[in-house]
Amino acid sequence: MKQSKILICSVVLLLCVSGGAYWTSSSNQETRDLVPQFISVDLGDVPPNTLVERSIPIPNASLEDLKVSKLHADCGCVKKSISQQSIPTGDTALLSVSYRSPSVRGPFSHRVNIDYENGKSTIVSVAGSVGAWFDVDTSFLSFGPTMRGNESIQTVTVTIRDAMPLEDRVEELSMKHGRIIDVTLKGQSLIYRLGFSPPDNSEYGECRGELLLGWNDRPGKAIKIPASGKVVPLWSTYPKKAFFGLVPAGEERSMTVIARKRSTDMEHSELQIKHDLSKFIDIELTTPTEKKPVTTIMIQLKAPEHFSGRIVGDITLQDQNETVLVLPLDAYIE
């Protein structure tokens, strides 16, 4: 009889322990499930190059306090902060997010991670679209290489989806040597003809800017299309630099440079080479024919026997006494 009582007590104790273990497991499962794992925020349509700010509630419906250990985003363009480092059970914190939309239209998406000390985390997805209130047929205006005195032309169509007073617009091609040739209004579409025309005295190199379209009374409505053009000389060379590197004293080195005329006009005047390195180099120039826009520049470098140092200078190609090409030369005599 005594042994039977002991057996019954053991069974009851085992059931109590098992039940307690099961309740604890259910509690942990409930805590894990009630921590928000993913929150999606749709910013909708936003203007380009605009600062967008949102406050996002982060609730804690679990049975334990949440302590924030780390707050990080997938891009430095997203600024973030949280109202409190500890979120008591049943309380709600506010995640503040600010993001400057890009100037180029299209969708965007970024994530902010909130990590907690208990190993859990909340992922906040912030997404939207830029420029949905308008449409353009190109996201970048490339005028390409353009010679002095010439003009490269590009056409772009901008369609406004919102009810906007198109006659009150403000527009500008803010790029060096760039201009708006004309604009044609067709329904809700604006058809721009744009020109890139470097003058005869312009510097060689790349020019960057953008086509700007907006309204004075609506600062949030603005369209920016990046643009680029490059002022290039009439002649191009390969390689672009006569680099000999290290040349032992008393030895000779040679190099062939191919010069090509960019114009479709194949007529050539008498080409001339000028430089200030006569005591170090000899140059032979082949004159192109009328059907081939290519000339060859043969450079023969003679390193002096009793000289050590760097030789730097420019080789100039002239056509009718006008400089059409400058070729840098660089060598080190040892």
Side-chain angles (χ1 to χ4, degrees), residues 78-293:
V78 178
K79 308 301 180 183
K80 69 282 179 195
S81 64
I82 196 164
S83 60
Q84 53 201 72
Q85 293 299 116
S86 178
I87 312 175
T89 177
D91 199 1
T92 299
L94 286 179
L95 174 68
S96 298
V97 175
S98 63
Y99 171 71
R100 182 167 292 278
S101 61
S103 58
V104 180
R105 65 182 298 271
F108 62 86
S109 177
H110 294 287
R111 288 190 173 189
V112 178
N113 284 50
I114 307 174
D115 298 335
Y116 307 109
E117 291 184 358
N118 62 0
K120 309 295 189 301
S121 63
T122 299
I123 299 175
V124 180
S125 173
V126 180
S129 181
V130 176
W133 58 274
F134 70 91
D135 190 25
V136 295
D137 60 358
T138 182
S139 60
F140 186 80
L141 292 166
S142 177
F143 291 93
T146 306
M147 294 178 292
R148 291 172 172 174
N150 290 7
E151 184 171 41
S152 298
I153 297 176
Q154 287 289 326
T155 302
V156 58
T157 300
V158 181
T159 301
I160 308 299
R161 297 178 180 175
D162 290 359
M164 302 286 288
L166 298 184
E167 64 278 1
D168 296 336
R169 69 187 184 275
V170 179
E171 57 208 2
E172 177 189 7
L173 179 57
S174 63
M175 186 177 74
K176 192 175 183 180
H177 311 315
R179 70 187 184 105
I180 298 177
I181 301 174
D182 55 52
V183 185
T184 303
L185 180 60
K186 188 176 181 180
Q188 286 297 110
S189 296
L190 297 165
I191 304 173
Y192 288 87
R193 248 185 3 122
L194 310 171
F196 177 65
S197 50
D200 294 335
N201 59 349
S202 57
E203 295 182 356
Y204 296 128
E206 190 171 19
C207 300
R208 291 183 175 272
E210 54 192 2
L211 173 64
L212 303 174
L213 173 61
W215 288 261
N216 289 329
D217 58 344
R218 303 187 185 189
K221 297 289 188 179
I223 301 173
K224 298 181 180 181
I225 306 176
S228 175
K230 190 174 184 180
V231 184
V232 296
L234 178 62
W235 291 79
S236 64
T237 61
Y238 182 82
K240 295 183 178 181
K241 184 176 183 179
F243 180 73
F244 286 89
L246 183 64
V247 181
E251 295 192 7
E252 296 185 3
R253 294 288 188 273
S254 62
M255 175 180 293
T256 300
V257 177
I258 304 299
R260 178 179 294 273
K261 193 175 184 181
R262 287 191 168 97
S263 174
T264 55
D265 178 13
M266 295 298 105
E267 294 184 2
H268 300 288
S269 303
E270 184 179 350
L271 296 176
Q272 296 178 340
I273 285 286
K274 291 189 177 182
H275 60 87
D276 54 0
L277 304 168
S278 56
K279 64 179 180 179
F280 298 116
I281 64 172
D282 290 331
I283 297 179
E284 179 182 346
L285 177 69
T286 61
T287 303
T289 64
E290 293 184 2
K291 295 182 179 181
K292 294 183 179 180

Side-chain angles (χ1 to χ4, degrees), residues 242-248 253 255 301 309-311 329-334:
F243 180 73
F244 286 89
L246 183 64
V247 181
R253 294 288 188 273
M255 175 180 293
L301 174 65
R310 188 179 181 187
I311 300 175
L329 182 143
D330 193 348
Y332 191 86
I333 313 299
E334 185 178 57

